[in-house]
Amino acid sequence: MRVLVAEDEEILAELVSTGLRRAGFAVDTVYSGDAALACLGLHDYDVVVLDRDLPRVHGDEVARELVASASRTRILMLTASSSMEDRVEGLDLGADDYLGKPFEFPELVSRVRALRRRSARPVPPLLERHGVRVDTVRRTAERDGRDLDLSPKEFSVLQILLEADGATVSAEELLERAWDAHTDPFTGAVRVCMSKLRAKLGEPALIRTVQGVGYVL
């Protein structure tokens, strides 16, 4: 799951981004409306956490442009303007959800996850294949009853492979969906993560490399 955080208060932006990464999301961070529009034009985000009072291009204009482009990216407005009138105005602009500051972080994570479910094809909370069982709500993974103790990145990759339901997933798609924009595509990040995931899954091997195409579980 890929999230864009657009917040002009840099300390808050980094706190939100760090917390979302720990929850297993791939997160990019920008501090102005024009930078948000540039990122949204380059990458396919599931959710944008959008401050309304952004410099250079107002957050409301970012929301309008997203809606006008028929983007599938869901909008969570995160702002200090949290009166009923502000919420109604934000939702009328096209926001899918609205959270006022200050906020409780678990609620933010829960709302982002809920918006992601609305932005993609429905995915059951429990994914199972070949003895591997992933609970996407509790974020637990096991094989034949054995806890896999996965890192957030390993969990994301395994979830994407399970969601593919036997189809091959390319390294490029994994990078796009599970890593942020600062990841160098030539570092071998996918290969390294896949090696660690295979080791934790154990024998017999479940993830097969399709040469020149990608990976399949």
Side-chain angles (χ1 to χ4, degrees), residues 77-82 87 98-104:
M77 282 190 170
L78 182 64
T79 174
S81 305
S82 56
R87 293 196 301 273
Y98 199 106
L99 187 59
K101 302 174 186 174
F103 58 90
E104 297 294 332

Side-chain angles (χ1 to χ4, degrees), residues 52 79-89 98 100:
R52 289 188 73 177
T79 174
S81 305
S82 56
S83 67
M84 183 190 71
E85 291 79 7
D86 290 320
R87 293 196 301 273
V88 169
E89 184 181 8
Y98 199 106

Side-chain angles (χ1 to χ4, degrees), residues 115-162:
L115 288 178
R116 189 267 181 183
R117 290 194 291 272
R118 290 165 56 185
S119 71
R121 66 179 179 83
V123 174
L126 291 176
L127 298 168
E128 295 186 69
R129 189 176 180 85
H130 301 311
V132 175
R133 179 184 173 94
V134 164
D135 186 324
T136 62
V137 177
R138 295 182 175 85
R139 294 190 65 79
T140 59
E142 59 183 45
R143 180 179 184 181
D144 298 327
R146 173 176 59 88
D147 180 46
L148 296 175
D149 191 26
L150 302 181
S151 71
K153 195 68 66 184
E154 292 159 358
F155 185 94
S156 295
V157 168
L158 180 59
Q159 180 176 337
I160 292 168
L161 291 174
L162 284 167

Side-chain angles (χ1 to χ4, degrees), residues 28 35 59 66 71 99 148 152 156 160-161 169 172 213:
D28 296 328
L66 266 180
S71 171
L99 187 59
L148 296 175
S156 295
I160 292 168
L161 291 174
V169 181
E172 291 76 15
V213 181

Side-chain angles (χ1 to χ4, degrees), residues 21-145:
R21 289 188 188 103
R22 288 174 178 168
F25 307 140
V27 184
D28 296 328
T29 311
V30 294
Y31 311 108
S32 64
D34 56 341
L37 287 173
C39 281
L40 289 163
L42 286 172
H43 305 290
D44 187 18
Y45 292 98
D46 295 287
V47 177
V48 55
V49 178
L50 182 67
D51 181 31
R52 289 188 73 177
D53 297 319
L54 290 173
R56 295 200 284 276
V57 176
H58 197 274
D60 290 358
E61 184 58 31
V62 175
R64 288 191 190 97
E65 292 204 23
L66 266 180
V67 172
S69 68
S71 171
R72 75 175 189 88
T73 301
R74 299 296 183 179
I75 303 169
L76 170 59
M77 282 190 170
L78 182 64
T79 174
S81 305
S82 56
S83 67
M84 183 190 71
E85 291 79 7
D86 290 320
R87 293 196 301 273
V88 169
E89 184 181 8
L91 293 169
D92 284 346
L93 283 168
D96 298 281
D97 200 357
Y98 199 106
L99 187 59
K101 302 174 186 174
F103 58 90
E104 297 294 332
F105 200 81
E107 182 181 5
L108 172 63
V109 171
S110 179
R111 286 173 182 250
V112 169
R113 285 193 178 131
L115 288 178
R116 189 267 181 183
R117 290 194 291 272
R118 290 165 56 185
S119 71
R121 66 179 179 83
V123 174
L126 291 176
L127 298 168
E128 295 186 69
R129 189 176 180 85
H130 301 311
V132 175
R133 179 184 173 94
V134 164
D135 186 324
T136 62
V137 177
R138 295 182 175 85
R139 294 190 65 79
T140 59
E142 59 183 45
R143 180 179 184 181
D144 298 327

